[in-house]
Amino acid sequence: MARPFLFKLEKILEYRRQLEDQAKLALSLTRQQVAEQKLRVDALHKDLEACLVELSAIKQMTQPELWLWSGWRKRLELDKTQAQAKLVELQKLAETRRLELVTKAKDRKLLEKLRAKQAEKHVQEEQRKEQKEFDETGTLRHGRTPY
């Protein structure tokens, strides 16, 4: 009877799968943050354009109104700049996490290939043993004299 194949590094393979799953989760969360930040940048850009359109539409403006409009515009520009900086930071983080995921996937695949090779070698060894038993049985039966 052929004995079943046991991969000695199965626990390590399972651990590497878990690491890869965690890296996938981290990457998807970061990509979601990037998408949300892009929406924020776009919204701030639209608000800034609306501010400039309103500012140019008003023909006469008092000094306090001009001061309020310029403060609003400066704040929108500052918010947009900060949002763009955060977007760039998140994109770099997403790229870093993507590279980590690639590394973890390679580690897992390497172990899976090793496991496949060892399983194939195990099957060949079991077939060789079985054939050897058949050969021995055939030799013993052939050598007997009939009753």
Side-chain angles (χ1 to χ4, degrees), residues 67-139:
W67 179 78
L68 284 174
W69 280 101
S70 67
W72 184 33
R73 182 183 49 83
K74 286 178 185 176
R75 186 61 201 186
L76 283 174
E77 289 172 349
L78 178 65
D79 287 348
K80 182 181 173 187
T81 303
Q82 290 174 345
Q84 286 173 333
K86 186 174 181 180
L87 177 63
V88 169
E89 180 184 319
L90 285 171
Q91 287 172 335
K92 287 179 184 178
L93 180 62
E95 181 62 20
T96 302
R97 290 198 171 156
R98 187 191 66 79
L99 293 174
E100 288 173 1
L101 175 61
V102 167
T103 302
K104 291 179 189 320
K106 283 181 183 178
D107 291 344
R108 177 192 49 84
K109 287 178 183 178
L110 184 69
L111 267 183
E112 285 180 347
K113 284 182 183 179
L114 176 65
R115 183 173 119 198
K117 285 181 183 179
Q118 286 184 358
E120 184 179 329
K121 187 177 177 181
H122 174 77
V123 168
Q124 290 174 351
E125 184 65 25
E126 290 299 315
Q127 288 175 347
R128 187 191 60 77
K129 286 180 184 178
E130 188 177 352
Q131 186 61 45
K132 184 179 176 183
E133 286 179 20
F134 289 154
D135 291 346
E136 288 175 1
T137 303
T139 303

Side-chain angles (χ1 to χ4, degrees), residues 7-59:
F7 186 54
K8 294 179 182 179
L9 302 175
E10 191 67 39
K11 295 282 185 188
I12 295 172
L13 179 59
E14 186 60 35
Y15 176 70
R16 288 195 178 168
R17 284 185 185 136
Q18 289 174 356
L19 288 178
E20 183 182 7
D21 289 343
Q22 290 172 355
K24 283 180 185 177
L25 180 63
L27 177 60
S28 77
L29 290 175
T30 304
R31 285 184 174 166
Q32 183 180 2
Q33 289 174 342
V34 167
E36 290 171 358
Q37 192 64 27
K38 282 182 181 178
L39 291 175
R40 281 189 203 111
V41 169
D42 290 342
L44 287 170
H45 181 72
K46 287 177 184 176
D47 288 347
L48 184 59
E49 284 181 355
C51 172
L52 294 176
V53 167
E54 281 186 46
L55 182 62
S56 63
I58 299 175
K59 300 293 182 199

